[in-house]
Structure formats: structure tokens, C-alpha cells
Amino acid sequence: MNSQPKPNLSELEQFHSQDIETITLLLAKISKRSPLEIKPHLDIMLEQLVQPAQERPFYETATPTEWVAAFRDWVESHRGLNLPTLSDEAMSRESIYGERG
């Protein structure tokens, strides 16, 4: 893996202006759009490519076992708060839904 820092977009545009122009013209030819329409899309793509890769969020990558462990950790983090517990009656279906239940 390359340990050199990735250049930012302005550096890419500066050092590779001819290549970017060629790519823009090729995309314009392929898509039948003007280079002025293509350039903003190409800039967005290049910006995404030069940004450091972002770690995907937990909910996208977690396994069921990791979800269980995270939930248990969350529960344990609240134990010391001495929060009141609900009575069985307060947790009953009738109490929650009333006459709709």
C-alpha cells in the first residue's frame, strides 16, 4: 500500500490539467454532453477519490454478535444511573395501548 499522502483536488488539477481535459472531452463525447456539463461531475468524482477513505458506520458492518455485544454494553452503561424501573402494570399491553389494545 502506498504511504504517500494523496494530493488534493487543486493539486490534481494543476499537475494533471491536460489529462483531466482529455478525460472531460472523452466523457463529453461518450455521453453527448458538453464539457461544461461534464466537468462538475468529474470534479466531484476526483474529490471523492482523493479524500481519505472514511470508515463505514457500525450499523453497516456489524455482525449480529457485535450488535448484541454493543447493546449489552449500552445497557451496562446505564446501570449506574439508578433509574426507576417500570412496574409490571405500567409495562402491560393494556397500559400501553389502552382500549385500542
Side-chain angles (χ1 to χ4, degrees), residues 43-80:
D43 288 345
I44 290 169
M45 185 179 73
L46 288 171
E47 186 67 42
Q48 290 172 345
L49 290 171
V50 298
Q51 287 178 355
Q54 294 180 349
E55 191 173 314
R56 291 176 52 202
F58 177 82
Y59 67 87
E60 286 184 2
T61 61
T63 65
T65 303
E66 290 169 329
W67 272 106
V68 168
F71 179 73
R72 287 187 176 147
D73 289 345
W74 177 82
V75 169
E76 289 301 319
S77 74
H78 290 76
R79 285 209 192 274

Side-chain angles (χ1 to χ4, degrees):
M1 190 178 235
N2 191 350
S3 62
Q4 293 179 327
K6 289 185 175 183
N8 63 35
L9 185 57
S10 62
E11 290 172 335
L12 278 177
E13 289 176 334
Q14 180 182 359
F15 296 118
H16 300 285
S17 61
Q18 187 62 45
D19 293 331
I20 292 172
E21 178 68 20
T22 301
I23 292 167
T24 302
L25 293 173
L26 285 171
L27 288 170
K29 180 180 176 183
I30 291 168
S31 67
K32 307 253 191 280
R33 295 182 181 241
S34 75
L36 290 175
E37 289 177 281
I38 297 296
K39 187 70 168 91
H41 297 286
L42 184 57
D43 288 345
I44 290 169
M45 185 179 73
L46 288 171
E47 186 67 42
Q48 290 172 345
L49 290 171
V50 298
Q51 287 178 355
Q54 294 180 349
E55 191 173 314
R56 291 176 52 202
F58 177 82
Y59 67 87
E60 286 184 2
T61 61
T63 65
T65 303
E66 290 169 329
W67 272 106
V68 168
F71 179 73
R72 287 187 176 147
D73 289 345
W74 177 82
V75 169
E76 289 301 319
S77 74
H78 290 76
R79 285 209 192 274
L81 299 177
N82 294 322
L83 299 172
T85 57
L86 293 175
S87 67
D88 288 342
E89 199 286 321
M91 301 257 307
S92 71
R93 181 176 187 83
E94 296 80 23
S95 171
I96 295 170
Y97 293 105
E99 293 182 16
R100 298 177 302 167

